[in-house]
Amino acid sequence: MKLPTLLVSLPLLFLAFSQQTSASSYPSFTPIKPLYHLRTYTKLHSHTNPHSDHRFNGLYLHASPTGANPDNHYALFTSNISLAAIGFLNSTNSIEGFDLNKNQPYSFSFQMQPDAGWSEVDINAGLGSLQGVEFADMGKAGKALVLSNASKMGSIWGGWIVCDWWHNAPQLFWRYSDKYKPGPYPAPRGCADVDLIQVLLS
Ligand SMILES: *[C@@H]1O[C@H](CO)[C@@H](O)[C@H](O)[C@H]1NC(C)=O
Ligand SMILES: *[C@@H]1O[C@H](CO)[C@@H](O)[C@H](O)[C@H]1NC(C)=O
Ligand SMILES: *[C@@H]1O[C@H](CO)[C@@H](O)[C@H](O)[C@H]1NC(C)=O
Protein backbone atom coordinates (compact mmCIF):
# COMPACT_ATOMS: atom_id res chain seq x y z
CA MET A 1 0.00 0.00 0.00
CA LYS A 2 1.33 3.46 -0.94
CA LEU A 3 1.65 6.00 1.83
CA PRO A 4 -1.15 8.38 0.66
CA THR A 5 -3.58 5.45 0.46
CA LEU A 6 -2.62 4.36 3.94
CA LEU A 7 -3.18 7.87 5.33
CA VAL A 8 -6.66 7.99 3.83
CA SER A 9 -7.71 4.49 4.77
CA LEU A 10 -6.55 4.50 8.41
CA PRO A 11 -9.21 6.93 9.68
CA LEU A 12 -11.86 5.06 7.66
CA LEU A 13 -10.76 1.77 9.16
CA PHE A 14 -10.93 3.24 12.66
CA LEU A 15 -14.40 4.61 12.03
CA ALA A 16 -15.65 1.28 10.73
CA PHE A 17 -14.15 -0.55 13.71
CA SER A 18 -15.51 1.76 16.38
CA GLN A 19 -19.01 1.69 14.86
CA GLN A 20 -18.93 -2.07 14.74
CA THR A 21 -17.89 -2.56 18.37
CA SER A 22 -20.31 -0.03 19.84
CA ALA A 23 -23.23 -1.33 17.79
CA SER A 24 -22.79 -5.06 18.07
CA SER A 25 -20.68 -6.23 21.00
CA TYR A 26 -23.60 -6.55 23.49
CA PRO A 27 -26.74 -5.87 21.43
CA SER A 28 -29.13 -6.98 24.16
CA PHE A 29 -27.33 -7.17 27.51
CA THR A 30 -29.68 -8.59 30.12
CA PRO A 31 -28.26 -9.59 33.51
CA ILE A 32 -28.97 -13.13 34.71
CA LYS A 33 -31.35 -13.42 37.69
CA PRO A 34 -31.28 -13.46 40.65
CA LEU A 35 -29.92 -9.94 41.05
CA TYR A 36 -28.26 -9.01 44.34
CA HIS A 37 -26.12 -6.57 46.27
CA LEU A 38 -22.95 -7.67 48.07
CA ARG A 39 -22.72 -6.65 51.74
CA THR A 40 -19.74 -6.99 54.06
CA TYR A 41 -19.78 -9.28 57.10
CA THR A 42 -16.65 -8.82 59.17
CA LYS A 43 -14.83 -11.98 60.17
CA LEU A 44 -13.73 -12.78 63.72
CA HIS A 45 -10.38 -11.66 65.06
CA SER A 46 -7.60 -14.15 64.14
CA HIS A 47 -3.85 -14.22 63.40
CA THR A 48 -4.56 -13.27 59.77
CA ASN A 49 -7.17 -10.72 60.87
CA PRO A 50 -5.57 -8.87 63.79
CA HIS A 51 -7.50 -5.60 63.34
CA SER A 52 -11.05 -6.94 62.87
CA ASP A 53 -13.01 -3.71 62.60
CA HIS A 54 -16.78 -3.40 62.88
CA ARG A 55 -16.77 -0.11 60.98
CA PHE A 56 -16.45 -2.38 57.94
CA ASN A 57 -19.54 -4.44 58.78
CA GLY A 58 -22.79 -4.16 56.79
CA LEU A 59 -21.41 -2.02 53.95
CA TYR A 60 -22.52 -2.39 50.34
CA LEU A 61 -20.18 -2.88 47.39
CA HIS A 62 -20.31 0.16 45.15
CA ALA A 63 -18.67 0.57 41.71
CA SER A 64 -17.04 4.00 41.81
CA PRO A 65 -15.89 5.46 38.46
CA THR A 66 -12.14 6.06 38.37
CA GLY A 67 -12.69 9.18 36.30
CA ALA A 68 -9.83 8.32 33.96
CA ASN A 69 -11.60 5.66 31.90
CA PRO A 70 -15.38 5.03 31.83
CA ASP A 71 -14.68 1.28 31.57
CA ASN A 72 -12.86 1.16 34.94
CA HIS A 73 -14.34 1.41 38.42
CA TYR A 74 -12.90 1.07 41.91
CA ALA A 75 -14.59 -1.50 44.16
CA LEU A 76 -15.52 0.67 47.17
CA PHE A 77 -18.03 0.28 50.00
CA THR A 78 -20.81 2.52 51.27
CA SER A 79 -23.57 2.33 53.88
CA ASN A 80 -25.94 3.95 51.33
CA ILE A 81 -27.88 1.11 49.68
CA SER A 82 -28.98 3.46 46.86
CA LEU A 83 -25.39 3.38 45.63
CA ALA A 84 -24.96 -0.40 45.90
CA ALA A 85 -23.85 -2.15 42.70
CA ILE A 86 -26.29 -4.64 41.18
CA GLY A 87 -24.54 -7.99 40.85
CA PHE A 88 -25.40 -11.25 39.16
CA LEU A 89 -23.68 -14.59 38.76
CA ASN A 90 -23.11 -15.71 35.18
CA SER A 91 -23.44 -19.46 35.60
CA THR A 92 -22.12 -20.13 32.08
CA ASN A 93 -18.60 -19.07 32.97
CA SER A 94 -18.85 -18.52 36.78
CA ILE A 95 -18.11 -14.82 36.48
CA GLU A 96 -19.32 -12.23 39.00
CA GLY A 97 -21.12 -9.79 36.72
CA PHE A 98 -22.41 -6.30 37.46
CA ASP A 99 -25.20 -4.36 35.82
CA LEU A 100 -24.02 -0.76 36.05
CA ASN A 101 -26.87 0.47 33.85
CA LYS A 102 -24.65 0.54 30.76
CA ASN A 103 -24.84 -1.40 27.50
CA GLN A 104 -22.56 -4.22 28.63
CA PRO A 105 -21.82 -6.29 31.72
CA TYR A 106 -19.00 -5.34 34.08
CA SER A 107 -17.02 -7.84 36.15
CA PHE A 108 -14.40 -8.17 38.88
CA SER A 109 -10.79 -7.86 37.81
CA PHE A 110 -7.93 -8.83 40.16
CA GLN A 111 -4.69 -6.89 40.09
CA MET A 112 -1.71 -9.21 40.51
CA GLN A 113 0.99 -8.34 43.08
CA PRO A 114 2.23 -11.65 44.49
CA ASP A 115 5.12 -9.96 46.31
CA ALA A 116 2.70 -7.80 48.29
CA GLY A 117 0.58 -10.77 49.43
CA TRP A 118 -2.64 -8.92 48.66
CA SER A 119 -3.90 -6.73 45.84
CA GLU A 120 -6.63 -4.47 44.52
CA VAL A 121 -9.91 -5.65 42.99
CA ASP A 122 -11.41 -3.48 40.24
CA ILE A 123 -14.73 -3.56 38.40
CA ASN A 124 -14.11 -3.30 34.66
CA ALA A 125 -16.18 -3.40 31.50
CA GLY A 126 -16.72 -6.78 29.87
CA LEU A 127 -16.83 -10.34 31.17
CA GLY A 128 -13.15 -10.42 32.17
CA SER A 129 -11.19 -13.57 32.91
CA LEU A 130 -11.92 -14.09 36.61
CA GLN A 131 -13.80 -17.39 36.50
CA GLY A 132 -14.68 -19.78 39.32
CA VAL A 133 -16.96 -17.50 41.35
CA GLU A 134 -19.65 -19.23 43.42
CA PHE A 135 -21.65 -18.80 46.63
CA ALA A 136 -20.80 -20.73 49.79
CA ASP A 137 -23.32 -21.28 52.59
CA MET A 138 -22.14 -19.45 55.72
CA GLY A 139 -25.03 -20.47 57.97
CA LYS A 140 -26.87 -17.60 59.60
CA ALA A 141 -24.62 -15.01 57.92
CA GLY A 142 -26.06 -16.06 54.54
CA LYS A 143 -24.34 -16.97 51.29
CA ALA A 144 -20.84 -15.61 50.68
CA LEU A 145 -19.15 -14.94 47.36
CA VAL A 146 -16.05 -17.16 47.07
CA LEU A 147 -13.72 -18.51 44.41
CA SER A 148 -13.95 -22.25 43.84
CA ASN A 149 -10.85 -24.21 44.84
CA ALA A 150 -11.19 -25.99 41.49
CA SER A 151 -10.68 -22.75 39.52
CA LYS A 152 -7.36 -21.26 38.45
CA MET A 153 -7.70 -18.11 40.60
CA GLY A 154 -9.46 -19.99 43.39
CA SER A 155 -6.31 -22.00 43.97
CA ILE A 156 -4.42 -18.81 44.94
CA TRP A 157 -7.33 -16.79 46.40
CA GLY A 158 -7.17 -16.48 50.18
CA GLY A 159 -10.19 -14.28 50.94
CA TRP A 160 -11.43 -10.69 50.77
CA ILE A 161 -9.90 -7.75 52.70
CA VAL A 162 -11.50 -4.33 53.09
CA CYS A 163 -9.20 -1.38 53.76
CA ASP A 164 -9.36 2.36 54.27
CA TRP A 165 -6.80 3.08 51.61
CA TRP A 166 -6.55 5.98 49.17
CA HIS A 167 -10.13 6.75 48.04
CA ASN A 168 -11.66 8.10 51.27
CA ALA A 169 -13.92 5.05 51.42
CA PRO A 170 -13.36 1.41 52.34
CA GLN A 171 -11.98 -0.48 49.34
CA LEU A 172 -11.99 -4.16 48.31
CA PHE A 173 -8.76 -6.16 48.05
CA TRP A 174 -8.03 -9.88 47.67
CA ARG A 175 -5.28 -11.80 49.45
CA TYR A 176 -3.12 -14.61 48.18
CA SER A 177 -3.69 -17.92 49.94
CA ASP A 178 -0.99 -19.82 51.78
CA LYS A 179 -0.65 -22.02 48.71
CA TYR A 180 1.10 -19.06 47.14
CA LYS A 181 3.01 -17.48 50.06
CA PRO A 182 4.69 -19.13 53.03
CA GLY A 183 1.61 -18.14 55.06
CA PRO A 184 -1.50 -16.03 54.56
CA TYR A 185 -0.69 -12.33 54.72
CA PRO A 186 -2.22 -10.75 57.83
CA ALA A 187 -4.68 -7.95 57.09
CA PRO A 188 -2.71 -4.69 57.61
CA ARG A 189 -3.75 -1.98 60.08
CA GLY A 190 -6.81 -0.16 58.68
CA CYS A 191 -7.90 -3.40 56.99
CA ALA A 192 -10.12 -6.30 58.01
CA ASP A 193 -11.14 -9.69 56.64
CA VAL A 194 -14.71 -9.81 55.40
CA ASP A 195 -17.14 -12.11 53.69
CA LEU A 196 -19.21 -10.66 50.85
CA ILE A 197 -22.79 -11.71 51.53
CA GLN A 198 -25.45 -11.99 48.85
CA VAL A 199 -28.42 -9.68 49.51
CA LEU A 200 -31.12 -10.60 47.00
CA LEU A 201 -33.06 -7.78 45.34
CA SER A 202 -36.77 -8.26 45.77
C1 LIG B 1 -22.47 -15.01 30.38
O1 LIG B 1 -21.34 -15.69 29.89
C2 LIG B 1 -21.46 -16.13 28.56
C3 LIG B 1 -20.23 -16.96 28.23
O2 LIG B 1 -19.05 -16.19 28.34
C4 LIG B 1 -21.63 -14.94 27.64
O3 LIG B 1 -21.81 -15.38 26.31
C5 LIG B 1 -22.86 -14.14 28.07
O4 LIG B 1 -22.95 -12.96 27.30
C6 LIG B 1 -22.74 -13.77 29.53
N1 LIG B 1 -23.98 -13.11 29.94
C7 LIG B 1 -23.97 -12.10 30.80
C8 LIG B 1 -25.32 -11.52 31.11
O5 LIG B 1 -22.97 -11.67 31.34
C1 LIG C 1 -27.65 7.97 49.07
O1 LIG C 1 -27.38 8.03 47.69
C2 LIG C 1 -28.42 8.67 46.97
C3 LIG C 1 -28.11 8.51 45.48
O2 LIG C 1 -26.86 9.11 45.17
C4 LIG C 1 -28.52 10.13 47.41
O3 LIG C 1 -29.57 10.76 46.71
C5 LIG C 1 -28.81 10.17 48.92
O4 LIG C 1 -28.77 11.50 49.36
C6 LIG C 1 -27.77 9.36 49.66
N1 LIG C 1 -28.15 9.26 51.07
C7 LIG C 1 -27.33 9.58 52.05
C8 LIG C 1 -27.85 9.36 53.43
O5 LIG C 1 -26.18 9.99 51.85
C1 LIG D 1 -11.00 -24.45 49.64
O1 LIG D 1 -10.19 -25.31 50.41
C2 LIG D 1 -9.90 -24.85 51.72
C3 LIG D 1 -8.90 -25.77 52.36
O2 LIG D 1 -9.16 -27.10 52.04
C4 LIG D 1 -11.21 -24.74 52.51
O3 LIG D 1 -10.96 -24.25 53.81
C5 LIG D 1 -12.14 -23.78 51.78
O4 LIG D 1 -13.39 -23.72 52.43
C6 LIG D 1 -12.34 -24.22 50.34
N1 LIG D 1 -13.04 -23.16 49.64
C7 LIG D 1 -14.12 -23.39 48.92
C8 LIG D 1 -14.72 -22.19 48.26
O5 LIG D 1 -14.64 -24.48 48.80
Side-chain angles (χ1 to χ4, degrees):
M1 203 185 272
K2 285 191 232 93
L3 189 59
T5 326
L6 188 69
L7 287 177
V8 172
S9 58
L10 262 182
L12 286 175
L13 259 178
F14 176 73
L15 197 65
F17 180 71
S18 54
Q19 277 177 349
Q20 162 123 41
T21 47
S22 60
S24 70
S25 37
Y26 297 95
S28 58
F29 162 59
T30 310
I32 297 165
K33 289 187 172 168
L35 305 180
Y36 49 81
H37 297 315
L38 291 169
R39 188 170 60 199
T40 56
Y41 185 86
T42 42
K43 292 193 183 179
L44 294 175
H45 191 279
S46 74
H47 70 287
T48 61
N49 188 32
H51 315 289
S52 177
D53 188 334
H54 288 289
R55 282 181 310 139
F56 294 139
N57 198 44
L59 301 179
Y60 294 92
L61 181 72
H62 153 66
S64 174
T66 61
N69 180 339
D71 283 351
N72 302 340
H73 291 65
Y74 298 121
L76 304 184
F77 290 92
T78 173
S79 56
N80 187 343
I81 195 170
S82 316
L83 299 172
I86 294 174
F88 65 93
L89 185 65
N90 188 331
S91 46
T92 312
N93 48 23
S94 302
I95 280 177
E96 169 55 35
F98 293 98
D99 180 0
L100 301 188
N101 211 6
K102 305 199 183 183
N103 65 350
Q104 61 173 317
Y106 279 62
S107 61
F108 272 152
S109 168
F110 280 11
Q111 291 192 16
M112 306 297 292
Q113 285 170 290
D115 293 345
W118 58 304
S119 195
E120 190 171 322
V121 182
D122 297 320
I123 298 175
N124 293 338
L127 294 172
S129 59
L130 183 65
Q131 301 191 344
V133 172
E134 60 186 25
F135 282 98
D137 193 351
M138 309 299 280
K140 69 174 175 40
K143 289 180 173 179
L145 190 82
V146 298
L147 281 160
S148 155
N149 279 332
S151 69
K152 183 166 161 261
M153 283 308 293
S155 63
I156 60 168
W157 176 79
W160 306 112
I161 307 179
V162 170
C163 300
D164 270 331
W165 218 239
W166 46 59
H167 300 298
N168 270 329
Q171 183 176 5
L172 181 63
F173 296 83
W174 71 281
R175 86 145 55 70
Y176 288 82
S177 70
D178 51 0
K179 289 172 197 158
Y180 205 91
K181 304 283 289 184
Y185 191 85
R189 185 167 294 281
C191 303
D193 284 0
V194 297
D195 282 320
L196 296 179
I197 301 295
Q198 183 183 51
V199 180
L200 293 172
L201 272 72
S202 48

